[in-house]
Amino acid sequence: MPSDEPQYDYIVVGAGSAGCVLANRLTEDGKTRVLLLEFGGSDRSIYIQMPAALAYPMNTKRWNWHYESEPEPHLNNRQLHCPRGKGLGGSSSINGLVYVRGNPLDFERWEEEGARGWGYAQVLPYFKRSETRKEGGNAYRGGDGPLSTTYGTLDNPLHQAWQDAAVEAGYELTEDYNGFRQEGFGRMDMTVRDGERCSSAKAYLYDAVKRPNLTVIQHALATRIVFEGTRAVGIEYEHGGRRHVARAGREVILSGGPINSVQLLKLSGIGPAAELAEHGIAVLADRPGVGANLQDHLEFYFQMACTQPITLFGKANLLGKAMVGAEWLLRRTGPGATNHFESCGFIRSRAGIKYPDIQYHFFPMAINYDGSSLATEHGFQAHVGPMRSKSRGTVTLRSADPHDKPVIRFNYMSHPDDWAEMRACVRLTREIFQQPAFAPYRGREIQPGADCVTDEAIDAFIANNVESALHPSCTCRIGRTDDPMAVVDPELRVIGVEGLRIVDSSVMPSVTTGNLNAPSIMIGEKGADHIMGRPMLPPSNEPYFVHPDWETRQR
């Protein structure tokens, strides 16, 4: 095959949460030659590095692919925003900086779904390897890994009110939802180091780029996987207005995420045969699971007016922002050094649910997550949504042109159980906000509104107001090699071809209970050992919490 590029051992497509991990781990020996291709550019901007400025990169085309769903039939045909990171660090450079590993039973479920070797005992050591927790490591947490995690200061009294109200409502606290016990209310972890965002680029790539055996090319659009027979041998990509072909002696690895990895597979002839034929693409491997099984989390903002001027609204004016920015620029401290999601909760929606299926992010201001609607008064809110929707969507090609955005159909709220869970979210959250702990601060219910009480009213509110929590996943899921809907085997090798793996959140068999940055980084860590043929880290035998009365009690 002719090539105008040097030959590499591995080519990694996508410098996101998992791709940066691979770039580091595969080049540690100083000999293995790796090419990392990234369509976006640098992440060296104060808007990315300042945690409190998270809404800015999320809404900037420089750092966001700006995908949108097709009109969602169960949400009044609304098109929902689906941001994906574009640039070094990928989505970890534009996300909310929240660090949630997921519930141990998520990974037990993965094993049941065909992801052999991905149970909690096997993945916990990789979570630990990836992390340096500011408070130090222990049996569950890492103390010397590349990714920095920390807690906020919890200076705002509303965070304490949130936790106190939860206890008054009959829930329990958890010291560490990423440790023994996820269920409960407590402090929220964030990926911040010394007051700055700790993306996967900062954690893994900044040091690795100094190695002579790692080449990083930015502003490179991968357009096709190059095959010889059924073996992946390289990547065709566009850079600087020219077409290039780079060759991989060992493997090609896709880390573009749940949208882009699917598109590149299909453009290269791997996917449902009928869909490929429709776009005139020769079928190399008929894999109907490519682009199927799309999952996400939905959430809404339960907003309350605040009767005291203690919320972030007081800093939302020009002077306030200037003061916050100045302190952060000078010292990397103050309100600019946190994402303000400093407290949280994980609960079960009803008795008979074995582990939490509702997540809360508490925020001391009433505003949209992406900053798209400005706050108009002092308020506070809980972002709340179900964790295990039964709805499934698809990612399909719009055309055979790699420049065309793919078609994203989440099919949100298409299962009746999703509606029951959303109604529980409204009623259980309202109960928490009505507890005595909030009495000194509680004004009117801004949203959904005190008159939103019947099933019909709640359903109408959800259809009009629910948003993506920005956790698309599961479109190239791990499974048994004889499972026609599986895309990769438990070692992340694409089934039906050779020399090709996928290492990103698309390989999840089912979405985890929480935000996806932490498990995506774990997938990168474990995937690197599979790729290099190293022994897996010894499994952990640490126990984990399941409520003893889960079958009969909701709390």
Side-chain angles (χ1 to χ4, degrees), residues 175-191:
E175 175 61 25
D176 180 9
Y177 65 80
N178 282 315
F180 166 70
R181 175 178 179 147
Q182 185 189 54
E183 185 170 337
F185 289 73
R187 303 176 296 173
M188 190 159 236
D189 274 302
M190 56 184 170
T191 49

Side-chain angles (χ1 to χ4, degrees), residues 158 303 311-314 316 363-367 375 377 379-381 383:
L158 290 167
Q303 298 178 329
T311 76
L312 296 176
F313 180 65
F363 194 69
M365 188 177 185
I367 190 173
E377 63 185 304
F380 49 88
Q381 67 191 29
H383 301 217

Side-chain angles (χ1 to χ4, degrees), residues 19 27 82 90 105 229 274 355 372 442 495 515 522:
T27 58
C82 179
L105 286 170
Y355 64 104
S372 60
R442 184 173 56 238
I495 301 166
N515 312 62
M522 176 277 291

Side-chain angles (χ1 to χ4, degrees), residues 106-120 122:
D106 291 329
F107 305 104
E108 300 301 280
R109 178 184 177 189
W110 281 14
E111 281 240 308
E112 294 169 8
E113 292 168 334
R116 181 177 38 82
W118 290 81
Y120 184 62
Q122 289 79 32

Side-chain angles (χ1 to χ4, degrees), residues 179-257:
F180 166 70
R181 175 178 179 147
Q182 185 189 54
E183 185 170 337
F185 289 73
R187 303 176 296 173
M188 190 159 236
D189 274 302
M190 56 184 170
T191 49
V192 170
R193 176 191 298 167
D194 299 328
E196 295 184 357
R197 177 190 292 270
C198 188
S199 66
S200 63
K202 181 170 289 184
Y204 288 90
L205 194 59
Y206 284 14
D207 288 336
V209 292
K210 301 169 188 172
R211 298 172 187 157
N213 55 322
L214 174 62
T215 301
V216 180
I217 301 178
Q218 300 175 38
H219 307 294
L221 177 67
T223 55
R224 186 172 61 93
I225 306 163
V226 179
F227 284 90
E228 289 180 355
T230 58
R231 182 170 189 84
V233 295
I235 287 285
E236 179 183 284
Y237 66 98
E238 296 174 359
H239 180 254
R242 293 182 55 221
R243 173 185 168 275
H244 302 259
V245 176
R247 189 176 179 96
R250 296 185 190 173
E251 290 184 340
V252 171
I253 305 150
L254 306 188
S255 295

Side-chain angles (χ1 to χ4, degrees), residues 374-398:
L374 299 175
T376 56
E377 63 185 304
H378 280 284
F380 49 88
Q381 67 191 29
H383 301 217
V384 55
M387 291 288 98
R388 291 189 292 284
S389 165
K390 294 188 172 82
S391 299
R392 297 290 182 269
T394 58
V395 177
T396 56
L397 291 179
R398 197 172 300 275

Side-chain angles (χ1 to χ4, degrees), residues 419-442:
W419 293 96
E421 290 166 358
M422 279 292 184
R423 292 174 203 134
C425 287
V426 170
R427 289 170 174 139
L428 294 170
T429 309
R430 180 174 283 142
E431 181 189 20
I432 294 169
F433 280 142
Q434 292 303 314
Q435 296 302 316
F438 273 114
Y441 314 109
R442 184 173 56 238

